[in-house]
Amino acid sequence: MAVLVIAEHDNRSLKSATFNTVTAALQMGSDVHVLVAGHQCSGPAKEAAGIVGVSRVLHADGIEHAYAQAENLATQVLERARDYSHIVTAASAVGKSFMPRVAALLDSSQVSDVMAVVASDTFVQPIYAGNALATVQTCDPITVVTIRTTGFDPALTGGQAVIEEIPVVATFALSRFISQQLTRSDRPDLTAASIVVSGGRGMGSADNFKLLENLADNLGGAVGASRAAVDAGFMPNDYQVGQTGKIVAPELYIAVGISGAIQHLAGMKDSKVIVAINKDPDAPIFQVADYGLVADLFEAVPELAEALG
Amino acid sequence: MKVLVAVKRVIDYNAKPRVKPDGSGVDLSNVKMSMNPFDEIAVEEAVALKEAGIASEVVLVSIGTQACQDVLRTGLALGADRAILVQTDIQVQPLGVAKALKAICEREQPSLLILGKQAIDDDACQTGQAVAALLGWPQATFASNVELSADTVVVTREVDGGLETRALSLPSVITTDLRLNTPRYASLPNIMKAKKKPLETLSATELSVDLAPRLKTVSVREPMAREGGVLVADVKALIDKLRLEAKVI
């Protein structure tokens, strides 16, 4: 039986996470279908049809799916779920919200945050804030999985899958969208950026984050933050990197004024190269950093930005 | 209205987990255990709703061994009215917990069920959504603000690009994010009083739920250790390393 991937998109284009998720899905079965449920989302549906390895795109278009509501998405997925051996999506805020509903209604035990596929029923997942890696095997008839996208390369484009229009089956009236406040940023998406510059409590103020933004812009990177920096109000919560924030694995991660608590390391220690800039030589971040600079960040960061500008 | 809060006993968030040498799991003997941090936030929210005169009763529930009584007592000391332990020696997984919580919700008929967004041990992030699905209730995951009225709850959620606000009909399920509130500490007199609050113990058989684990753990290992890094003298040396050695800029 085929594998069904539920695409993540903003109704205009696919999120990069979908490409990584297709790569993971192709390791579970050779026939991969993608469900694009949204509102006026023919753009993402066409994009999904162009992913190499995808043979069919199910396109469900209706106002019910305008804001990726978990109850509606779950209902939509369940309508076709029994035709598939695996149901797969990215472990994003959207995926983490709707997928456990799908799993529960299929009486299936979801495997969360899969970072490697060992066999079609066996997966590696991080537990205890990434301090241990568990290999788990499912015995449920339908395997339900969310994917840690940093564990998989993005799938290639150039394919030509069939697009099948399917009816919207979701009308869950008990939950109603009111509003959203999205953070505007011209920088690359944090979870997909190849360079991430993150700041912690040591930044001292929201204003001082401009130093990091300047450095990130000179490197073409994204800006992240530790929980301490978010709690202090220096940055919005969606910039948080860590166990309970975003998981990133860029080519280069620059941690500035971040001590390196377990919960922060959980979100970035799979980065290829880690740089730490901290004035405390005993900060735990230096134990995972490839290159450490013990220095005052208010001198080092502007100097670094200028040299790379 | 009644608010039900699900709490889990987990390794303390400051403790460093150690993988057993035989690869069978994480060694929890002689490790400090505490209430899951997200569940503390859930208890705080429920108790604050009671103090505001909106909730009439706060009931805690935990599923696990006899040892889970300690986190229930902690929750009672924080202001909950009574507690239920669904006692089992089975290593319960989120689907089993969701089934047990569904049975408890059918018994207790709460208007609101609050859980943490994830447990810091299995990091699964499933239970709240799963129990909402089984009950056919609406859900609001990753809540950073909750405003409750007689028949509706308005929840602001932390989503990937920022925040989203939704209105849910009651009864509903909410899972807490870190920024929902700052949990209080239990005072000594309240810890003493909590010992006298009711704590009911039920078995899974009494609830007629199947808690058997469905995911089989094949092995558990430590992640690859990162190779030791080097300290560089100054910014110039750092740039040289990044350009010539690491080749990432």
Side-chain angles (χ1 to χ4, degrees):
Chain A
M1 282 206 297
V3 177
L4 181 64
V5 170
I6 293 88
E8 178 144 8
H9 61 88
D10 60 6
N11 292 317
R12 291 188 298 277
S13 59
L14 284 181
K15 295 270 177 75
S16 61
T18 304
F19 294 86
N20 309 68
T21 306
V22 167
T23 299
L26 284 164
Q27 296 177 15
M28 299 171 208
S30 54
D31 193 12
V32 171
H33 298 183
V34 176
L35 169 66
V36 180
H39 184 227
Q40 298 176 340
C41 62
S42 55
K46 285 196 192 99
E47 242 184 301
I51 300 177
V52 172
V54 174
S55 65
R56 179 172 290 270
V57 172
L58 308 177
H59 178 208
D61 212 313
I63 189 80
E64 294 86 346
H65 291 312
Y67 299 103
Q69 186 188 333
E71 297 88 345
N72 280 342
L73 263 178
T75 309
Q76 185 76 51
V77 175
L78 277 159
E79 192 247 346
R80 292 286 181 112
R82 286 176 183 81
D83 299 339
Y84 294 91
S85 61
H86 294 70
I87 317 279
V88 186
T89 201
S92 61
V94 169
K96 287 194 263 191
S97 290
F98 82 84
M99 199 62 136
R101 286 187 82 99
V102 173
L105 294 171
L106 291 170
D107 197 33
S108 181
S109 226
Q110 174 180 306
V111 189
S112 293
D113 230 5
V114 163
M115 52 193 288
V117 179
V118 179
S120 65
D121 64 348
T122 308
F123 308 95
V124 178
Q125 60 175 185
I127 53 175
Y128 292 88
N131 283 292
L133 303 179
T135 301
V136 296
Q137 189 175 22
T138 74
C139 56
D140 296 318
I142 302 175
T143 302
V144 179
V145 172
T146 64
I147 296 296
R148 174 171 288 204
T149 52
T150 57
F152 300 89
D153 292 330
L156 302 174
T157 55
Q160 269 190 321
V162 181
I163 299 181
E164 180 191 343
E165 303 293 334
I166 63 167
V168 170
V169 291
T171 46
F172 190 89
L174 302 176
S175 169
R176 183 169 53 87
F177 174 84
I178 294 178
S179 64
Q180 61 185 13
Q181 305 96 49
L182 300 185
T183 308
R184 284 176 205 284
S185 170
D186 297 328
R187 296 190 188 88
D189 183 42
L190 186 54
T191 52
S194 60
I195 296 179
V196 173
V197 181
S198 275
R201 197 195 304 272
M203 296 306 296
S205 75
D207 259 3
N208 291 337
F209 259 82
K210 292 200 178 80
L211 298 173
L212 296 192
E213 289 171 351
N214 190 22
L215 174 59
D217 289 344
N218 287 350
L219 288 163
V223 174
S226 70
R227 180 186 170 190
V230 172
D231 282 351
F234 301 168
M235 293 301 273
N237 64 284
D238 52 308
Y239 282 71
Q240 187 182 325
V241 172
Q243 180 184 20
T244 63
K246 299 212 166 73
I247 311 291
V248 302
E251 293 286 304
L252 172 60
Y253 188 89
I254 305 181
V256 182
I258 292 177
S259 64
I262 295 175
Q263 292 79 10
H264 184 74
L265 300 183
M268 45 65 80
K269 68 181 178 183
D270 291 328
S271 304
K272 187 163 166 253
V273 175
I274 297 173
V275 170
I277 301 175
N278 204 304
K279 67 181 176 197
D280 175 9
D282 298 322
I285 190 77
F286 286 118
Q287 288 162 24
V288 300
D290 299 280
Y291 304 112
L293 176 60
V294 180
D296 183 346
L297 68 93
F298 297 105
E299 289 167 17
V301 173
E303 191 186 338
L304 190 57
E306 192 181 339
L308 299 169
Chain B
M1 67 177 70
K2 189 189 287 184
V3 178
L4 196 70
V5 182
V7 296
K8 184 176 185 184
R9 182 176 185 266
V10 297
I11 187 169
D12 188 83
Y13 76 100
N14 272 320
K16 168 115 175 117
R18 290 185 200 291
V19 175
K20 289 184 196 165
D22 67 358
S24 63
V26 168
D27 190 358
L28 294 179
S29 54
N30 303 317
V31 176
K32 187 182 178 210
M33 304 293 279
S34 301
M35 188 188 293
N36 182 44
F38 291 97
D39 305 349
E40 290 182 357
I41 295 170
V43 173
E44 174 63 37
E45 195 64 17
V47 170
L49 286 170
K50 194 185 169 196
E51 286 170 347
I54 300 167
S56 52
E57 187 184 26
V58 176
V59 183
L60 303 178
V61 57
S62 192
I63 293 126
T65 62
Q66 192 72 27
C68 295
Q69 283 196 13
D70 61 7
V71 295
L72 290 172
R73 291 284 174 207
T74 303
L76 292 171
L78 293 171
D81 296 295
R82 61 187 170 91
I84 302 168
L85 171 63
V86 179
Q87 198 187 329
T88 173
D89 291 331
I90 292 174
Q91 285 265 332
V92 280
Q93 293 175 349
L95 182 60
V97 173
K99 289 177 181 177
L101 288 176
K102 174 181 185 253
I104 295 288
C105 282
E106 284 167 349
R107 233 176 66 126
E108 294 284 337
Q109 304 276 325
S111 298
L112 200 57
L113 169 61
I114 313 182
L115 307 87
K117 81 163 177 181
Q118 74 192 57
I120 60 163
D121 52 1
D122 63 20
D123 281 333
C125 190
Q126 299 173 19
T127 308
Q129 299 89 308
V131 66
L134 295 176
L135 287 162
W137 291 3
Q139 67 177 49
T141 48
F142 321 140
S144 61
N145 191 54
V146 171
E147 284 167 39
L148 191 64
S149 62
D151 57 353
T152 318
V153 59
V154 176
V155 182
T156 300
R157 307 176 50 230
E158 301 202 354
V159 296
D160 281 342
L163 298 169
E164 180 196 85
T165 305
R166 288 198 154 268
L168 315 182
S169 304
L170 298 179
S172 56
V173 176
I174 292 173
T175 75
T176 62
D177 216 317
L178 285 172
R179 274 161 286 278
L180 181 57
N181 59 46
T182 306
R184 70 192 71 189
Y185 290 98
S187 66
L188 189 58
N190 285 346
I191 292 171
M192 300 310 287
K193 276 185 218 157
K195 290 183 178 168
K196 297 202 176 92
K197 289 186 179 176
L199 195 162
E200 181 186 5
T201 301
L202 297 170
S203 70
T205 332
E206 281 172 87
L207 288 178
S208 317
V209 289
D210 175 17
L211 295 180
R214 303 266 284 277
L215 290 178
K216 183 183 153 212
T217 300
V218 179
S219 65
V220 176
R221 64 179 166 87
E222 299 224 3
M224 297 267 273
R226 290 188 74 96
E227 285 190 28
V230 292
L231 286 183
V232 294
D234 52 31
V235 167
K236 188 180 169 303
L238 176 62
I239 293 173
D240 285 348
K241 289 280 191 190
L242 293 176
R243 278 211 172 112
L244 306 172
E245 197 174 271
K247 297 189 173 68
V248 286
I249 57 171

